[in-house]
Amino acid sequence: MPDLDLLHSFVSVVEAGGFTRAGERVHRTQSTVSQQIRKLEERLGCVLFRREGRKALLTEDGERLLGYARRILALSSELHDTVGKAARTEVVRLGLPDDFAVPALTGIVGSFARSHPEVRLSVCCDLSCRLSLALAQGELDVALFKREPGSGSCIAAWPERLHWTGTLDAVPHDGEAVRLVMRPPGCLYRERAIHALERAGRRWRIVYESPNLPGIQAALRGGLGVSLLDEQGLETDSVLLDEAFPAVSPTELALMARPGAPESAQELASMLRRFCDAHRSRADAPPQAAATTGMGKPLAAEPL
């Protein structure tokens, strides 16, 4: 591979049309440029230019080299820009539970990205058990995830009230197994539902699994079974079935940052905390439209 500096001088001679003007372009003397071209010719074993007066014209070998030289120099510049920029770019990795990636929260994340153009934001939506593990292993800088209440220090936490929900005809008759619509194993809500049913001596079976909230909601609308969701996951016309199933204890939404996370990650965490605080305040206000219980009564607003 010819030296990049030699190729640069070669292209400069072609574009300037002569050695003197090429020297002015690369801030070298005409003799230095000539020496570089001779060195390049020696390495390639061919003549690259023929002189006509003060002009330097390409030979056939020179014409063949020109395309390669330009591509090599362009790739070198691209490599330098890409690798150098990547080394200087700060990456903030955010984890969100899929049932909390609401449009308003997406707007907060977008606002952060616009106000920090020098930061590359990477967002992952996943089950809370995976998010907490990724944060503990240093694979995330900031994470919102569901967990057992009071199970460790955090930036902030908000209580979650869980509800049984589904269509009325999905409620099992005496002796029938409860048909559950749930996320995959590892989901905190799934564990809550199964343990509550087993403590109550109720039979159950999983009839539908989905790793994301829209899949769960679609299955519930279709009457496939019942599920356990927090109020973020309920739709406006969701029917609550709490009276027909055993009570379950609350969970909580926790906000955490990785120890040693960059300052920009701490700023993002502060934005998320303000958003969640405001969201909880709105949830505490009297609802204008709410899900209904199986008896047709409105669902009272609960904290986030």
Side-chain angles (χ1 to χ4, degrees), residues 80-91 120:
H80 175 76
D81 291 343
T82 302
V83 175
K85 185 176 182 180
R88 295 188 298 271
T89 299
E90 182 176 289
V91 179
R120 181 160 62 87

Side-chain angles (χ1 to χ4, degrees), residues 3 6 34-44:
D3 187 277
L6 299 183
S34 298
Q35 290 173 4
Q36 289 185 311
I37 296 303
R38 283 197 297 272
K39 185 182 295 185
L40 181 60
E41 289 176 331
E42 290 172 1
R43 291 189 179 183
L44 295 175

Side-chain angles (χ1 to χ4, degrees), residues 244-262:
F245 294 95
V248 292
S249 55
T251 55
E252 73 177 14
L253 177 72
L255 173 64
M256 294 184 66
R258 172 181 62 82

Side-chain angles (χ1 to χ4, degrees), residues 38 68 89 100 113 120 217 226 235 261 271 283-284 291 294:
R38 283 197 297 272
Y68 289 108
T89 299
F100 205 75
R120 181 160 62 87
Q217 292 172 332
V226 300
E235 299 185 279
M271 294 174 68
D284 287 336

Side-chain angles (χ1 to χ4, degrees), residues 6 20 25 44 52 64 67 87 99 111 130 137 183 272:
L6 299 183
T20 301
R25 283 192 173 197
L44 295 175
E52 286 189 4
R64 281 192 288 268
D99 58 350
S111 177
R130 295 173 185 166
Q137 294 178 340
R183 289 183 174 85
L272 292 172

Side-chain angles (χ1 to χ4, degrees), residues 19 28 32 59 67 82 102 113 123 138 143 187 198 239 249 251 269 274 280 293:
F19 288 81
R28 290 188 173 94
T32 299
T59 62
T82 302
V102 294
V123 182
C187 171
E198 290 187 342
V239 176
S249 55
T251 55
R274 290 193 295 271
R280 182 175 64 175
T293 66

